[in-house]
Amino acid sequence: MEDFRWDKSLSITIGLSFFDFTMRGCILYIVFFLLIPTLSRSQGLKFRGAHEPIDKRTSYELFDKKEISFEEEFTLKFQLSIYSSNSLGNIFRVKNKDNNTIYNLFYDEEGGNCIFRLNEEGKSSLIIAKINQQQLFKEEWIDIQLTFDLRQQLFKLNIQNETFQSPKVNLPQHYRPQVIFGKSDYLIDVPTMSIRNVRIGNTEKSYLFPLRENMGNIVHDENGNAYGYASNPTWLIVDSYRWKDLFASSSLSQAGSGYNQRTKEIYYFNQDSITIYNVKNSQTKKLGFQRPCPVKLVLANNFIDTTTNRLYVYELFYTQPYQGPTVASLDLQNFEWRVESSDLMKKELNHHGSFYDGQHRQFYIFGGYGNMAYSGQFNQYSLDSGKWQTVDGWTGDKIFPRYFLSAGQGAHNRTAYIFGGMGNESGEHIVGRKYLYDFYQINLDTKKITKKWDLLWKDKHIVPARGLVFPDSSHFYSLCYSEYLTKSNIQLYRFSIKDGSFDILGDSIPIYSDKISTHAQLYYDQQLGRLLVLVQESKDDIQSTLKVYSLNMTPIPLTELNSFPSSGSNYRVFLLLLLGTVAGIAVYFFWRRNGNKTKFSGLNKQIDYTNSSISDTTSIQIPQKEELSRPNAIFLFGEFRAFDRNKRDISYLFSTKLKQAFCLILSNRSGISSPYFSQMMWPDKSEDKVKNSRGVTINHLRKVLSEFKGIELIHKQGRFIIERTDEFYCDYVDCIELMANPVDASADRLIQIIQRGKFLQGLDLPLFDPLKTEVEQNLLPFLLTELQKAAHGHFHKKSIEIAHTIFLLDPLNEEALFSEVKAMVALNQPNEARIKFQHFCLNYRQLMNEDFPYSLDSII
């Protein structure tokens, strides 16, 4: 393999010949980024141990495909994580290929200590290292290093900076090691463990295996070269992208939930009992309280004081007269309740943000919604006095009243932060709410508020879930979701504290977001190296379910999951990547200067449901034949239609497979990778078996798209991307852009698009169900807003047309029915109103298997 040599003259030539100072800065940054090797904290190999059948246990041989040798000295170094107590077994074995001598490192536990034994198999233990278990496992990953000192004829074992040395042993001057982790030959006991960043070598040569694979059995070094083999592997990088289901439970009455970082326990409690799940050992237990919780639970908001190991539950408001405790604490050792306060704020503050000042034993809440108003006040509960009070005297920037915000504390516990939510400057609900994407820093000592940034959001609207997580001084994590969707999805975001730039990480978590008591909360346990999410859902604000998910640190996007191994060490590949990047930047600057090319990146554009309006009462016509036969156009609403540059209908050229491929690439943000494209198109086949099919499909699609002007399918940086100019038209793209930048005519144009029919009509494939749902659920709030405007303005014909459009998306939408029949009656069309109502009732009965609960007279 060629060593990489960077020619400085190439850098200077590229940097100075083509571009100005800004361009040189971009290139230098890219060169720096590509040259610096990155080791993700997310990688690792998890071993299947004693809980699995013998043939399912994990084994990993470092050099299955190559022999290596060392002289004088070499070191085996790696990071180890043990998952459960009472675990034992072989961590690794080292065989010498020149003789029959074998050494192994064996793990055991005894009397609260972790025992690491370095054994010469068949003879004796050379090193017995005893380390306090609690002390050792304060961090999830521990550093282990074994040095083979061939000159001094001994071993040195270093575990988390503690060094142990063996007596003299007979070691050869020339060593050809064969290293096997986990199950090996007759050593079948394997601890429940993970390893990562395995390095073996000396000052002359060294090999590093980060273990960043996400599939398969072949193991690669840091440069992507295949060396080893793993049997029955579980690749940890997958657990940094896909949320893992840990635990689920349910309660028939109002309940609360929380996480205790001190004990690693999740609590799910109601008035009478508590369920406890231990994240560290995966054990669950349920306890009944000797005396029930003294606070009448409604929302069961709570926080934990880890210093005293007590859980505090509080209620702010009761709809019925209530005399009794409003704050109580639970001892998390003997699980006995204690009344803390009967102080009642008498103010409904749903979906407020909160944080706990442990140093001063004060719990803060900000914001919330109730009685048709948003709160913009800080309120504080003192654990010592048992009283609530409003906190005034803040200086600096003002935080607008809001709810659905998130709050948290950074590394400095006298600094708190508030992010996002919904509200407005006046605090009055009647004015209308605005989605907020701002971020504030709060100094609890000086009581100064500093606005760090305010984003111009260019995606579908979201609100943050509870809990901000600060892994370092530069970023924070937040869970966000679209609360206006009944069946929504929670997505993890990483924001920059400095400027608000963000990354979208991991896959999503489903949430049923209809009820007030439904919420999700994010936690970070640094010792375990995991993010935890508690999703508590309710369909009636009484019964609830709790689902717990975990994600290994550091979370990654899908692109990183599929980025290893790569041949990044090869000079030619590197040069091609660099030149391709430079060329891409040149194209970008050319595009900026000409300003005529747009790249469509899927559904993720800003959607503002508050600005569009209906300005007249003229009828909206279903698109005319001229509209449907415009040149260079593809229509995805209703029947699939395609017209080339000469207005010829070439819909027949798009087979079902080509339609799938086109829609899949078009709808994915920033394009789609080859593996993901293959997985979606041919889910029942492995990657190696679909390579030819994928190539044929892509070539056919390119050929068909060549019949149009202004659209091109390209492959860039491992992803298929559709690029277009204004010469090309697609109603799906038009729809997204109209919703992102609404003007007076947006509603009319959108209705005209939708009246062609349902989105992707005829493509009844599970592949597109999520996209169809997302498009329709984004359109519905927009159309319902326009329907309300038409009804309030007494534009009856407009109301009927909009209602008709809504029924295309949601055949059982009650608001559309009520508006349409009222408009028909207002237009003196009672018979049409009755026919419409009867038709709706018939559909309702067929789909819901029950009668519609309203009569026509009650609606009118």
Side-chain angles (χ1 to χ4, degrees), residues 636-650:
L636 299 182
F637 282 84
E639 181 185 3
F640 181 95
R641 300 292 296 275
F643 299 91
D644 69 5
R645 65 188 69 192
N646 299 315
K647 292 188 180 182
R648 288 188 305 118
D649 187 346
I650 58 170

Side-chain angles (χ1 to χ4, degrees), residues 501-521:
S501 57
F502 64 89
D503 298 301
I504 302 175
L505 307 171
D507 60 358
S508 60
I509 300 172
I511 184 172
Y512 181 89
S513 58
D514 254 14
K515 296 299 179 180
I516 291 175
S517 59
T518 292
H519 65 270
Q521 182 141 359

Side-chain angles (χ1 to χ4, degrees), residues 609-644:
Y609 300 118
T610 61
N611 295 332
S612 57
S613 62
I614 301 176
S615 57
D616 57 66
T617 57
T618 57
S619 295
I620 298 170
Q621 301 297 325
I622 295 177
Q624 300 299 311
K625 183 177 180 181
E626 291 78 17
E627 167 72 11
L628 293 182
S629 61
R630 62 188 295 174
N632 296 309
I634 293 180
F635 296 89
L636 299 182
F637 282 84
E639 181 185 3
F640 181 95
R641 300 292 296 275
F643 299 91
D644 69 5

